[in-house]
Amino acid sequence: MALTLLWAVDVYGRVYSLSTAGQRWERADDMLLELKRVTAGKGRCWGVGCDHRVYLNMMPSETSIRYREETYENQRWNPVDGFTDTLLPTDRWPWSDVTGMNPQPLQSFQLPSRSWEWEGDWYVDQTCGGDPSQTGGWEYSVDFPANFSPDKKWNSCVRRRRWIRYRRYIAQGSWAKIPLDHPKKPPLPLCDISCGGWEMSDQSGRYPYLWGVSQQGQVWFREGIHPRAPEGSSWEEVEVPKEVAQLSAGPGDLLWALLWDGNLLVRTGLSLDSPTGTSWVEVDSPVKEVEALHVAVGVSVVWVVTKDFKVWFRRGVNSHNACGSGWISIGGEMMMVDVGLNDQVWAVGEDRGLYFRIGVSPSEPSGSGWIPVSGQWGNSKKVVPARDDCVFSGQLTEASQGSVLSCTDSDSELGPPDPQSHTHETPGPEAAVVPPGGGAAPPEAEGAPAAPQQEAPKPFIPASDSFINSLVSDRDRTSSSQPTVTETPQEEVEDTPTAPVLLTPEVAGHDVPWMNVDLEARSAQERGGSLADGGAAATYSLGTLEPQQGVAEEDGPVWAWISGGGCEVEASSNISWLSPTGPLSSSLSLTPVQSAAWSEQQQQQQQHREEISKKPLERSSSVWVRKGALRWWRDWKPQRWVDVGVALEQSTKCDGRKDSIFFVYYTHYDEKKYLHVFISEVTALVPVLRDSHYAFAVYTAQRTKLRWPLVLAAQSEKDMNDWLSLLSDCCCECRGITGSPSRHALWATTSKGDIMVHEPAFSLEASSNALACDLMFWRQVPGHLRCVETNSLGLVWGVGWDGTAWVHSGNHGQQPTPGEAAQTQQQTDARSVHVYENQRWNPMAGYTDKGLPTDRPMWSDEAGLKECTKGSTHPPSPEWSWVSEWTVDCSVPGGTDKEGWQYAADFPVTFHGHKTLKDFVRRRRWTRKCKITLRGPWQQVPPIPLSDISLMPCLAQSRMEEVPVWALSDKGDVLCRLGVSPPNPAGSSWLHVGTDQPFKSISIGGANQVWAIAKDGAVFYRGSVSPQNPAGECWYHIPSPLRQTLRQLSVGRTSVFAVDENSNLWYRQGLTPSYPQGSAWELISNNVTKVSVGPLDQVWIIADAVPGFPAETGGAVCHRLGVGPVQPKGQSWDFGLGGGWEHISVRGNSAEAPRAPHPPPAGPPRSPLPPRPPTQANGNAVGV
């Protein structure tokens, strides 16, 4: 790693640097240099002096900084004298720039400052166009301006040659004053500067930008900075809506400014073409009652310190979203912060010590804790950690009313000095925890007399510019008047291999830093409470300290400013003053045991220190970020895939609560924009089929209503699964969902085969204020199924696309214990992909693939709307793989001839399997099988392939030794599974139930009601089914709706609903215990694909389409509202998530909303009849 420097300024204006390869603070060579603030970048550091001038320190390098000055000598030919410098009045100047617009005689060139020197005299450039010439450097042309060439022709009337002179920058490694702008108007005196912008492009060695703030609140931009001119050329004013107090520029395109009123401004539109940006956006302070004190920005982070010394982190900051999305409180009490390279954070604490934020990384930009910067000071091995108290002797002059920190030269930012705090000694390998606000005080030597409080020196911090100037001649006197420091005995200094981590207590009783404070009076008030000597820094257990080291004789710096813009710290960096040998504690709060131990150690201390030790310590918040690159299906037309950057940002509050935001960053017409989705608002994460991409859709309530989910695609299956898992975990975490699905969960499958689960609340089926269907959160369960059925005992069965039966092998509906995971097994599924070959008959050639212009494509899908050839047809998703070749499918409904053709009069009409004289078109179906293999909590139930399955629903309080399970085989046989129970969800064996014809749908409801639909649409009811006779005795035929053919039904506790071939929903009327077959069918609705009736007679469907959205893919989840004992048919539909959903099961949801007890009647009962006892209904006592 290259050598880089950390820069800092103390309250006297002295500038220091600390190398990443060294261990000792180095003071600037110029002993008279006094700076207020510094801002560092790669290879350079800028500063604002106490004279309000700007200074620059360029790091020494092997390559010198040279700048080429050039001017052109112009001449015109005349018949008398030949080529002379006598030009026409309309010609350019005799000496000019390359354009000829500006005069540039040789004597007009001056050195811009004393930091430059000439390398030699002017000389003629002998190369014309890059090639050496024999013409003395002259270039000829017909006239000004025109193309010049070294060849002289008969019509060459003008000529020019270039003169060159180099100047070299000689101030590398020292502080040089930037000259004022002449003849331009210089800016007003500056109080703050910030450099950045060197990472705005991918160009190596990109020069930085410099911004400044004047004392009047104006913002200035330094123009002309580039590698050959590090000082720049002039200042340009940037208009601001309000007066600015301080600003910070990041390495990229972020610029934030602090206003006098405590709010913040964000500069937008920063780019290479517009380095000063386009507009300002105001952002409120993190706390409305407390104004912001300082702001610092990095590549994609923003840190703010408020006037109560609290540190805040801005969420969601990115080049596409410069304003961010919210504030997060971070532990620590700091005067100012600075963001350096790699977004590392440095700070000056309230105790005037320097701190570094550990744990900062691209995935966790907020870091995990504060550690002191423990660089050595002076010629001794003394380490300068976080200071306990800044105590000095001396008197405050009347001119000392300014601060090195304040833009207004006010001393109010200094804040009160904190009392001296103490070492928290932890035995063993535990890390030493340092209370914020100070370091640890060594225990008093045994037998040593304690210094009386009345003789303690007054705490005093010089802070004024004028006072700093006066100290130049008084430093020796001030230093000599310092009281003698009592050295710490060597045997009392422990060499503990632990790392101190700064923990921040709640701020109480601090003065607002921007108010005027009388430091002399403040010193007198705290004279009795301050025992620390100004020459001794607080000593606490650091792994880098040696047991023999004591307190140095020379005072350590009292820091006022820090800049890490030129200090590179990486995870692999081995920096001595940031790498203690002991383990770093990332804990940001003390445990009760630690707090008690800490308090016990301080019982011998003064009363105000005991109060500080009992103050509760603040737990810090943190931010975790995961970034990546995906493709986004654009929301507007023309819709297409767009490469975007994504980021998932999760913040952890002080109380442990987590909040996450998902960002999508894109560029539209060279303008950076972004989308964001709050994870708490996400309702589903569903893998989707989209152009053979690894795609998934992100649903929210608002996007569900608009039927436009956020569709993203990854480059690989692993990337898609990683993002789905990460987002799903965040969604479940913010909702408190853990473990396997509960026994009351709603299950559903998509047309892709993914399994989705919703954890219902009591309000889901409430008669009033029911949960809206588009607000339901669905999470994905590993596995791949075509349909799934459940009941309230936690039994979950499913059927794959290949007919394989599976049973869920998770917790079987029991509440999962922490750390318990469902057993996963390998699961396979197979399905067939179909394409249709279409042909039309003509008298000349018979049936050919030459159709009419209005015909469907000759290779298409079943509907004929989309062209699908065998070569262009792929598996449903990249997770699938082909396991067979294309073959003709002769098992098409309606029959085929021996070659697999179906015939019809025209497209589209009903096809049949034999040719007639009126059949002019024909088609045949080609099929190819594909297979998917994955792992999930599913156990296979061999050996019979199934087409449908149903479990008897029951209430939550029900107890059944054996759960009835009915199913249909792929050939239409009716089966009954024996031995199914919660301990044995797969059961023991199949029992065949005889039928006269094959069936296609079956359902069992409350009280062992078994209904089924034959393949010809006939409806049957199975009689005499009971626990003692699980297969029943006989089938009763139920008339179908008039001129309709039913295809699927579902039976609840007391109701039966069915769906016909035309997607109509029917309700069976007249069902009673004495006549369970009912009396008649009643039409409820159309647009229904599947129906599921639960144990509470709740009705859910998969809708074929969503009204008002004709382009929406079929398959949306819908809930029937108003269903109750009085109105079992319900009243209206609530459309939810969709489309592309295949099946839904609510037969496990028996969670009823608690009913409020009825108040007892005021008077005696009106009826003399005694109350009837409750009757038993479906295993549960229900009052009737």
Side-chain angles (χ1 to χ4, degrees), residues 838-842 847-858 907 920-921:
N838 307 304
Q839 291 186 354
R840 176 174 286 276
W841 182 88
N842 66 73
Y847 286 101
T848 65
D849 57 359
K850 305 298 182 182
L852 299 177
T854 57
D855 281 344
R856 60 180 61 185
M858 292 298 100
F907 301 118
F920 295 98
V921 296

Side-chain angles (χ1 to χ4, degrees), residues 550-569:
V551 180
E553 297 180 0
E554 186 180 357
D555 293 346
V558 183
W559 302 110
W561 199 265
I562 189 172
S563 178
C567 184
E568 187 169 3
V569 179

Side-chain angles (χ1 to χ4, degrees), residues 20-89:
T20 54
Q23 299 180 358
R24 192 180 310 277
W25 286 100
E26 301 290 344
R27 186 181 172 186
D29 296 335
D30 187 359
M31 294 300 176
L32 299 180
L33 177 67
E34 295 178 352
L35 299 183
K36 297 175 62 176
R37 299 182 180 183
V38 292
T39 175
K42 285 188 176 181
R44 71 195 68 203
C45 185
W46 300 80
V48 174
C50 296
D51 56 357
H52 304 291
R53 296 286 297 274
V54 179
Y55 292 80
L56 172 64
N57 189 330
M58 293 294 299
M59 300 299 103
S61 62
E62 297 179 357
T63 304
S64 61
I65 301 175
R66 302 171 69 237
Y67 186 83
R68 185 180 65 189
E69 299 281 11
E70 60 180 28
T71 185
Y72 284 83
E73 180 184 3
N74 306 306
Q75 292 185 357
R76 176 175 285 277
W77 181 87
N78 64 72
V80 178
D81 301 322
F83 283 99
T84 66
D85 56 0
T86 304
L87 305 178
L88 299 178

Side-chain angles (χ1 to χ4, degrees), residues 49 103 126 167 204 265 364 446 601 809 906 1114:
Q126 299 290 341
R167 52 183 168 93
S204 60
L265 281 181
E364 192 174 356
E446 184 176 355
Q601 294 175 5
S809 59
D906 201 353

Side-chain angles (χ1 to χ4, degrees), residues 382-397:
K382 176 190 172 185
V383 175
V384 183
R387 300 186 60 87
D388 180 46
D389 255 336
C390 303
V391 185
F392 291 88
S393 64
Q395 299 296 325
L396 179 66
T397 62

Side-chain angles (χ1 to χ4, degrees), residues 685-955:
L685 299 163
V686 186
V688 296
L689 305 176
R690 192 66 64 91
D691 299 336
S692 297
H693 283 78
Y694 297 96
F696 62 95
V698 181
Y699 285 87
T700 62
Q702 184 65 25
R703 287 184 171 270
T704 299
K705 293 178 181 178
L706 299 176
R707 302 294 155 182
W708 195 261
L710 181 65
V711 180
L712 300 168
Q715 295 294 329
S716 64
E717 179 183 0
K718 181 181 182 301
D719 290 343
M720 183 189 72
N721 292 334
D722 288 346
W723 276 107
L724 279 176
S725 176
L726 184 62
L727 293 173
S728 180
D729 290 345
C730 291
C731 292
C732 294
E733 191 174 23
C734 73
R735 291 171 171 82
I737 300 176
T738 58
S740 298
S742 67
R743 61 178 61 186
H744 297 292
L746 276 66
W747 292 69
T749 60
T750 66
S751 58
K752 186 176 176 290
D754 298 302
I755 307 168
M756 310 299 295
V757 174
H758 168 71
E759 297 292 342
F762 290 117
S763 60
L764 183 61
E765 301 295 341
S767 56
S768 60
N769 300 324
L771 177 66
C773 203
D774 52 19
L775 296 177
M776 298 169 58
F777 171 69
W778 295 86
R779 59 170 171 152
Q780 186 177 0
V781 174
H784 192 276
L785 296 173
R786 179 178 57 85
C787 66
V788 63
E789 287 293 336
T790 65
N791 81 339
S792 300
L793 299 181
L795 300 178
V796 182
W797 279 62
V799 179
W801 288 87
D802 58 358
T804 305
W806 301 86
V807 62
H808 191 257
S809 59
N811 293 295
H812 309 300
Q814 305 297 327
Q815 293 298 327
T817 59
E820 182 180 1
Q823 181 181 2
T824 60
Q825 302 178 13
Q826 181 171 317
Q827 183 184 13
T828 61
D829 200 0
R831 63 188 304 180
S832 296
V833 178
H834 307 298
V835 296
Y836 285 82
E837 181 183 3
N838 307 304
Q839 291 186 354
R840 176 174 286 276
W841 182 88
N842 66 73
M844 301 299 295
Y847 286 101
T848 65
D849 57 359
K850 305 298 182 182
L852 299 177
T854 57
D855 281 344
R856 60 180 61 185
M858 292 298 100
W859 289 86
S860 69
D861 57 359
E862 183 178 6
L865 301 177
K866 181 181 179 182
E867 183 177 8
C868 300
T869 64
K870 291 190 293 184
S872 63
T873 301
H874 302 283
S877 67
E879 296 94 337
W880 293 77
S881 59
W882 295 117
V883 294
S884 70
E885 296 298 329
W886 290 103
T887 58
V888 176
D889 186 7
C890 296
S891 61
V892 183
T896 65
D897 61 10
K898 61 181 181 179
E899 295 181 354
W901 292 104
Q902 290 183 306
Y903 299 88
D906 201 353
F907 301 118
V909 293
T910 303
F911 285 84
H912 46 266
H914 59 279
K915 182 181 182 304
T916 65
L917 295 176
K918 297 180 179 180
D919 294 332
F920 295 98
V921 296
R922 68 177 182 178
R923 72 175 185 182
R924 62 178 173 182
R925 186 167 73 178
W926 291 77
T927 183
R928 191 177 186 183
K929 185 173 292 187
C930 55
K931 183 179 180 180
I932 186 173
T933 302
L934 66 165
R935 299 192 65 85
W938 300 94
Q939 176 186 349
Q940 185 176 355
V941 182
I944 304 176
L946 304 181
S947 62
D948 196 12
I949 193 168
S950 179
L951 285 71
M952 190 180 83
C954 57
L955 298 181

